[in-house]
Every structure is written in structure tokens, then in C-alpha cells.
Amino acid sequence: MKHLPAYFTFWHILGHYSLKWTAYLVLAFLMLPIVIIVPLSFNAEPYFTFTDGMLALDPAAYSTRWYQAIFSDANWLLSIKNSFLIGALAATLSTVLGTIAAVGLSSPVMPFKRLITALLLSPMIVPLIIIAAGMFFFYTRFNLVGSYAGLVIAHAALGVPFVIITVTATLSGFDRSLYNAGISMGASPVKVFWDVVIPLIRPGVISGGLFAFVTSFDEVVLVLFLAGPEQRTIPRQMFSGLREQINPTILAVATLLILISIALLVTLEILRRRSERMRGTEF
Amino acid sequence: MDVGRRPGARERRDGTTNGGIGTMPLDANGAFLSFRNVKKSYDQKTLVVKDFNLDVQKGEFITLLGPSGSGKSTVLMMLAGFEGVTSGDIVIAGQSVTRTAPYRRNIGMVFQNYALFPHMTIAENLAYPLRVRKMNKAAVKDRVNEYLRLIEMGSFGGRYPGQLSGGQRQRVALARALIFEPSLILMDEPLGALDKKLREQMQYEITRLHEQLGFTVIYVTHDQTEALTMSSRIAVFNDGVVQQCAAPAQLYERPSNAFVADFIGENNFIPGKVDRIEGGKARVTVAGGGTITADAAEGLKAGADCVLSIRPEKLFIKPTSHAYDNELVAEHVTHHYVGDFIRFYFRVAEGTEITIKVLNDLAAPDLKAGDKASLVWLAKDCIAFPA
Ligand SMILES: Nc1ncnc2c1ncn2[C@@H]1O[C@H](COP(=O)(O)OP(=O)(O)OP(=O)(O)O)[C@@H](O)[C@H]1O
Ligand SMILES: [Mg+2]
């Protein structure tokens, strides 16, 4: 209690500790369902509960059989391949489009800035199910339903707002006189863009791209509407797995996904620090 | 420092710079750069620059000086091509540039916040304009080293801008604007972000490079001392119009109107009425009753109101060994001890105070508040402007 101010009354102290413990409880409530998955995915038995052996920490009660199951099941392998393929293509597409949009929107001479920004960001706000339904009817006309191209475009549309937001944020710290300096030295606007603007906003571009990738990676509503059996992704496969073959394979996949998310988060954090350092050196 | 080598003053190296502007014949009137009736409006309603005219000779150091918001940066931006010209023409070496893209103008620019590329080393920053011009690698390397030596930062090539001090960054920015040998360099308050000492050092540096390399400079500053010490000519700007463009000494000694007289340096103003004008000299009756002889400024009319301007250092307190034509009795108000000089304040008439700078030597008078003293000065140090 020595760190509490001396003037604290009983009620202050009570408030302090209840706030502290409520915060811990909320954190546990959020984290437990995720954390519990990890040990369960090593269950030797096909159950979703801890067996007596697991609780006794008996090595025989643990196994990696569900991980092996993932990699020997053609459906899972296809969905993993699809998730990465669609995620990567959609992220690339939204990174390119989103960066261009952000650069255009940051120009002082751009008309209707607010309106266009609102339109481009709308996929983040409009309920997914409405987007999915709309896309379904629209894509049918172009034979895009049940095709890779359809899913990539749909997911790219969902990813663009993230790229716009992150790139706009880095651009707001971009000193326009750097651009003018490049021009005054004889470089064309396109050359200055590649040599000066892109390297300086790169952290924002990459983190936007990662957000776009994650968005595609765990998206299931659009996939349910637009994907055929050939385009099943990991979330789609988990969704059907939950209903058809109840066994801890899903938990093993979930554990792998958690690992991937952590890796992405770490990457984002490293990028953020890097961009801060870059800005620190600007003046 | 090897002063014998003068990279810019020798012949332009073949193929390494785009000769375009630099090798063109000069204007008919000999000017290298001319602004002709240039006007600029940002909102299509008010003119920020009203009818700007200026002829600049090759190798001149021109400073634009004026109050904040008078349109100095706007003029530079139009010259660099970052802002369009509303009407009028800008001519460099006989060619109008108003329709030339900014990156084809071959004008070097130094920015107030340095604008060094933070992700490139100093050497890469310096090499950038050369790489853009497709100069070969070995030549780029030589030139970069040459300019690093020129700014006396030979060993700093591998550092990043973030690792330099403000003055060093400004030197790099200067070298980067010079390295592609543009014939014209623009600087918009390049030393504004530096402290006084560093600023003086950089002023010296810029002057040295200007003399050594012989480029033409258009310089913008708020700092009068800077303008007076560095420039070949100063254009005093007010309200979008050039009030006077002249060499520093002439601007200081012979201001052409009351704005310039007031804006440049310190000045005393005494209101009066013109009795008569003859041979460029005006006889003026001042408020206190005395009659003063002064140089008549342009537009001064007999019988009209006028203001007399006299610099504080041109006034003397009687008894003095200095020659004088004019004498005025005034009441001593107070004085401030500054160190190398003493600043005396006198009241001539109600509402008219004048300041005198007196050298702090044995002859400095010992006055008390309320004492009457005779102030004297030469007619040629005093100008009568129309009020
Ligand atoms: N991009 C712009 N859009 C609209 N008005 C502008 C713009 N840039 C400058 N102005 C206006 O033009 C006028 C002149 O501005 P300018 O920047 O040329 O002044 P300045 O002489 O450089 O001032 P300072 O000494 O403060 O730098 C100002 O009244 C300013 O408000
Ligand atoms: Mg300015």
C-alpha cells in the first residue's frame, strides 16, 4: 500500500482495489477462451474438455495427433492454401489501391475530399452481411461468384480502408517540402514519389497491407456467400468442421492462427517503432 | 580549404548539367532574370503580389526583405514553379519559364527546414540531383566528395541527417542545392531556425560560397542585418509591391520613401511643413518652430506637410566637433546605457521624440531629465518625405 497517496481514505482504497480487480477479471474474461484452446489442442482424446490425464499433467494424455490430422486432410490443406493465396492477393491489391487513394486524398488540391474518404471507408462501417448480399447479386452478373477472382476483389474492397487509414496517418507526418526539394533538384513527380515519398511512408503501407491480409484471413461472411467448394478458406473450413466432424483439429488450427496473429502483431509493432524513429530523424 | 579551385566558376562540365538555362543568351537589357509585371492572387479576389518588377544580373545576391505576409515566399514559389503566375512573366536567360514544369527549371532551392531526405545518408542526399541527371557513378562520387570538402564536412558522408546539428544540416542543404550547378539558387529564410551565433557563421559560409562559385541568389529573410551584410541589392517589399530595390548602403543612406526609411534600421521622424524647395534641398519648418534644411525626396511639394528622417547615429549633441547645418533645441527625457554606446531620448515637441546614439567615450554628455540641449546634424543626412 505504500504507493498509494497518504491522503487516501478507506473509500479511496476500496475503489482503487475494486477497479484493479475488475480490470483483471475483464482481461481474464477476454483472454481465457483463447488461451484455453492452446492446451486443449494437444488433447490425445477426441474431446473438447480436459481429460483426467491432462489435468494430472500425464505426458501420455497429450499428443500432436490433431496437428498431424490437419496436414493429412486434403480439405484442410486446400483451405490453408486458399487462405494464404487469397489473403496475399487481396492484401497486395488493397495496398496498391489504398496507397494511391491515400496519396491522392492528402493532396491539397483534391476536391470532395471528405465525401470520397467516407465512400472509400464505408466497407468498414456497412454491416458485412449487407456487403455480402450486395456483392453476391452484383458478382453473379459477371460470373464472379464461386471464383478466386471474385473473392480476391471482395476481400480487397474490405482491406482498402485499413490501408487508407494507416497510409494517411503516415502521410500526415510527411513534410511536403521534401517533395518540393526533390522536384527542385530536377526529379519528376513520379520519380520523387518512388525515391522519397514511398520509402518514408513504407511503414504505413506495410502495416496497412498486414491489416488487409488479416482482414481477408479471418473473414467468413463473404466467403460463405461468394466462395464455391474450391475456394474454401480456413475460417470456412472451421465453420463446417464445427458442425460436421467435431474433434480438436479445429483447436489445433485455432492455435496455429493465434501464432500467426501474434507474429503479425509483433511485425506491426516493429514497423511502428521504425517509423517513429524515422520521424525522429526528420528534423 | 583549397580556395584556388572554383567548381562553379570554371567552365561548365560537359553533359553533367542540363545546360538549357545556363548557356542561353542573356536578355536584351542584360538581365539574367526578370520579373515583368508579375501578379499573384490565391483566391482570384485579392492580389498578394501586385505588379512585381525586378531585373537581376548574373551573379548578384538579391535579398527580398519585407514584413510578414508581404508576399516574399510567394515570389520565390512562383520562380521555383511551385505556384503559378496569375499574370505577367518571369524570364530567365531570355526565356519565359512560366510554362516550364518546376523540375525542368534547373533552379536550386534551400528550404527553411532543410528538407534533407531523412532516409538517405548525407552523401546520398548530395548525389540525388546528380543521379536524377544520369551522371555516371564515378563522377557522382567525385563531385559529392568535392562538395563535402567545400562545406568542410568531408568525413560526414556516411551519416544520416538526423545525426547532424542544425548548422551542419543547413550546410548540407546548401551543398545539395549547389551541387548540380544551377545558375540560380533560391533561399527562403534558410537561417531562420538557427541561433544567432550559428546564423552569423552560416552567413559567412553562404557569402564565401557565393563569391567562390559565382551563382545568382534570390534570398528571403526577416533579418535586416543579414540582408544588409550579405546582399548585392535588397528589394524592400511591402503590401505586394517593391518599395525600393537598391544596394545596402544606398538603401540605408538614401531610402526612397518613408516606409523604407522606417523599415530599414532605426530612424527618427519629425513632422514639418515645406517652405520651399530649391536645387533638391527643402526648407522645412518643424513643429517646435525651427527651420531645417533637408534633401527633398521625390514627390515633395512646397507648402505641403512632410516628415523629416534622421538616423540616430547622424545626430550630435552640442558642443561637438562634428560639422552641422541644422540645429534644434530639445528636452532631454532619459538615456539608456547600452555598453559601447549610450542611447539618449529627447522630446522635440509634444508627441515627437527622437533618439540619438552617442559613442560611450569621454565626450559623452552628462544630462539630466528636463535639461535643454541643442541637437545638430548635416543637411545631407536628413531627408524630407511627403507625409
Ligand atoms: N497557399 C496559399 N493560399 C492562400 N493564400 C496564401 C497561400 N500562401 C500564402 N498566402 C497568402 O499570401 C500572402 C503572402 O504570403 P507569403 O507567404 O508570400 O508571405 P511572406 O512575405 O513570405 O511572409 P513571411 O515573412 O511571414 O514568410 C499572405 O497574406 C498569405 O496569407
Ligand atoms: Mg515566407
Side-chain angles (χ1 to χ4, degrees):
Chain A
M1 272 231 282
K2 56 183 178 295
H3 60 281
L4 292 181
Y7 56 79
F8 263 31
T9 63
F10 169 74
W11 295 107
H12 279 119
I13 295 168
L14 186 71
H16 174 83
Y17 282 104
S18 23
L19 179 64
K20 193 163 159 179
W21 284 104
T22 314
Y24 281 132
L25 279 177
V26 171
L27 190 65
F29 181 76
L30 292 175
M31 294 304 294
L32 269 181
I34 300 172
V35 172
I36 212 91
I37 283 172
V38 179
L40 277 180
S41 71
F42 291 98
N43 201 339
E45 308 294 328
Y47 304 131
F48 282 102
T49 51
F50 286 102
T51 58
D52 292 339
M54 290 181 89
L55 292 174
L57 292 179
D58 176 5
Y62 291 90
S63 84
T64 55
R65 60 184 281 204
W66 307 114
Y67 289 87
Q68 285 156 10
I70 301 171
F71 295 102
S72 55
D73 182 334
N75 277 341
W76 276 114
L77 286 178
L78 175 67
S79 61
I80 290 171
K81 190 199 88 182
N82 280 342
S83 270
F84 277 98
L85 183 71
I86 293 169
L89 290 177
T92 311
L93 194 58
S94 40
T95 305
V96 173
L97 296 178
T99 305
I100 295 173
V103 169
L105 287 170
S106 77
S107 155
V109 293
M110 177 81 197
F112 309 119
K113 235 178 251 191
R114 281 165 189 275
L115 181 67
I116 295 171
T117 312
L119 282 178
L120 289 174
L121 295 188
S122 63
M124 276 175 89
I125 299 142
V126 178
L128 214 46
I129 192 80
I130 292 173
I131 298 178
M135 280 182 173
F136 180 75
F137 290 116
F138 187 68
Y139 284 15
T140 331
R141 299 199 142 224
F142 300 95
N143 278 332
L144 283 170
V145 174
S147 73
Y148 281 104
L151 262 190
V152 168
I153 297 172
H155 278 178
L158 291 190
V160 162
F162 290 100
V163 181
I164 292 184
I165 287 174
T166 55
V167 175
T168 305
T170 30
L171 273 175
S172 73
F174 182 81
D175 175 8
R176 223 184 147 68
S177 66
L178 290 178
Y179 177 84
N180 282 352
I183 295 279
S184 79
M185 282 181 265
S188 66
V190 175
K191 184 153 176 57
V192 177
F193 182 74
W194 280 113
D195 291 347
V196 180
V197 183
I198 286 286
L200 291 175
I201 64 170
R202 189 179 288 143
V205 173
I206 294 177
S207 58
L210 287 180
F211 272 121
F213 179 79
V214 172
T215 308
S216 160
F217 205 71
D218 72 8
E219 203 288 320
V220 71
V221 180
L222 290 185
V223 177
L224 283 174
F225 273 73
L226 300 174
E230 278 303 298
Q231 288 91 38
R232 68 175 69 224
T233 59
I234 297 173
R236 174 75 179 84
Q237 180 65 19
M238 289 174 84
F239 185 75
S240 51
L242 268 178
R243 295 185 306 169
E244 290 153 21
Q245 12 123 236
I246 303 231
N247 67 40
T249 316
I250 295 173
L251 299 183
V253 174
T255 306
L256 291 181
L257 290 185
I258 292 172
L259 279 182
I260 293 173
S261 311
I262 291 175
L264 288 178
L265 269 180
V266 170
T267 319
L268 278 177
E269 180 60 18
I270 292 172
L271 283 173
R272 198 184 58 77
R273 290 196 188 173
R274 224 181 80 110
S275 94
E276 269 183 9
R277 227 177 325 130
M278 280 277 227
R279 239 179 253 175
T281 63
E282 218 173 279
F283 289 98
Chain B
M1 180 66 249
D2 184 358
V3 185
R5 299 181 64 221
R6 305 170 54 139
R10 66 179 173 235
E11 290 303 303
R12 294 204 157 253
R13 281 162 275 214
D14 288 343
T16 55
T17 54
N18 49 7
I21 286 168
T23 55
M24 281 286 160
L26 296 182
D27 213 12
N29 61 9
F32 166 62
L33 162 68
S34 312
F35 291 88
R36 292 180 190 154
N37 309 103
V38 173
K39 298 186 175 76
K40 174 70 184 178
S41 167
Y42 283 105
D43 54 6
Q44 321 305 333
K45 284 188 219 102
T46 48
L47 285 177
V48 169
V49 174
K50 304 166 189 161
D51 204 24
F52 182 64
N53 284 289
L54 183 66
D55 283 329
V56 179
Q57 306 300 321
K58 214 171 169 78
E60 270 194 304
F61 194 119
I62 300 286
T63 299
L64 306 183
L65 189 64
S68 189
S70 55
K72 307 178 296 286
S73 300
T74 304
V75 168
L76 277 204
M77 287 298 159
M78 287 191 289
L79 183 50
F82 299 130
E83 286 291 347
V85 172
T86 304
S87 79
D89 203 3
I90 300 175
V91 179
I92 301 177
Q95 279 199 321
S96 169
V97 294
T98 46
R99 290 175 177 280
T100 310
Y103 56 94
R104 290 194 206 284
R105 292 194 186 187
N106 203 34
I107 294 175
M109 186 138 188
V110 181
F111 296 81
Q112 177 170 6
N113 58 0
Y114 322 120
L116 297 176
F117 302 139
H119 60 297
M120 296 186 192
T121 62
I122 301 310
E124 285 165 353
N125 264 285
L126 291 184
Y128 190 75
L130 306 177
R131 278 203 298 134
V132 168
R133 287 169 172 73
K134 307 244 167 12
M135 195 173 170
N136 78 53
K137 279 215 173 75
V140 169
K141 202 159 172 245
D142 287 348
R143 183 88 70 94
V144 167
N145 285 331
E146 176 184 332
Y147 273 78
L148 279 174
R149 275 200 307 279
L150 195 66
I151 55 170
E152 289 163 355
M153 288 182 58
S155 59
F156 288 80
R159 295 224 203 158
Y160 284 90
Q163 300 167 314
L164 300 184
S165 73
Q168 290 170 331
R169 282 181 222 182
Q170 196 52 274
R171 256 146 63 197
V172 176
L174 189 60
R176 192 181 63 173
L178 294 171
I179 198 166
F180 58 101
E181 302 186 337
S183 38
L184 188 56
I185 307 273
L186 313 184
M187 306 192 200
D188 195 350
E189 299 187 43
L191 311 182
L194 304 179
D195 66 43
K196 189 166 175 292
K197 202 164 171 171
L198 212 49
R199 206 155 59 216
E200 279 166 11
Q201 200 180 324
M202 282 301 299
Q203 287 168 8
Y204 169 77
E205 200 89 352
I206 293 173
T207 318
R208 174 176 73 90
L209 290 172
H210 175 242
E211 279 166 10
Q212 195 172 343
L213 305 180
F215 45 85
T216 309
V217 185
I218 310 290
Y219 193 93
V220 168
T221 181
H222 269 124
D223 185 338
Q224 289 189 22
T225 328
E226 189 167 301
L228 291 170
T229 51
M230 296 173 79
S231 325
S232 347
R233 279 192 297 150
I234 301 172
V236 179
F237 240 76
N238 189 35
D239 207 16
V241 185
V242 175
Q243 303 287 331
Q244 186 176 6
C245 180
Q250 198 190 349
L251 206 62
Y252 190 82
E253 311 279 350
R254 304 276 94 197
S256 65
N257 60 42
F259 175 82
V260 178
D262 189 26
F263 190 73
I264 303 290
E266 252 188 292
N267 228 329
N268 291 303
F269 290 101
I270 305 170
K273 201 173 169 70
V274 184
D275 296 335
R276 61 180 192 282
I277 306 173
E278 47 194 50
K281 295 276 179 197
R283 290 290 290 169
V284 177
T285 309
V286 295
T291 307
I292 303 295
T293 310
D295 281 353
E298 212 172 296
L300 194 72
K301 288 186 186 65
D305 286 339
C306 72
V307 275
L308 296 167
S309 82
I310 321 130
R311 299 270 176 206
E313 70 275 15
K314 306 282 189 190
L315 282 160
F316 302 98
I317 303 168
K318 242 174 146 176
T320 176
S321 59
H322 290 271
Y324 59 89
D325 309 321
N326 293 312
E327 182 167 348
L328 201 60
V329 177
E331 182 188 325
H332 177 239
V333 180
T334 182
H335 57 264
H336 290 158
Y337 183 81
V338 182
D340 48 352
F341 60 87
I342 303 172
R343 195 186 282 275
F344 284 84
Y345 296 89
F346 288 94
R347 186 176 298 123
V348 178
E350 63 293 343
T352 308
E353 288 205 358
I354 57 180
T355 311
I356 304 183
K357 275 173 159 182
V358 178
L359 265 186
N360 186 9
D361 57 13
L362 294 174
D366 181 20
L367 289 170
K368 284 176 204 56
D371 287 355
K372 296 276 181 195
S374 275
L375 312 180
V376 296
W377 67 93
L378 286 169
K380 73 173 183 62
D381 290 333
C382 178
I383 307 174
F385 294 109

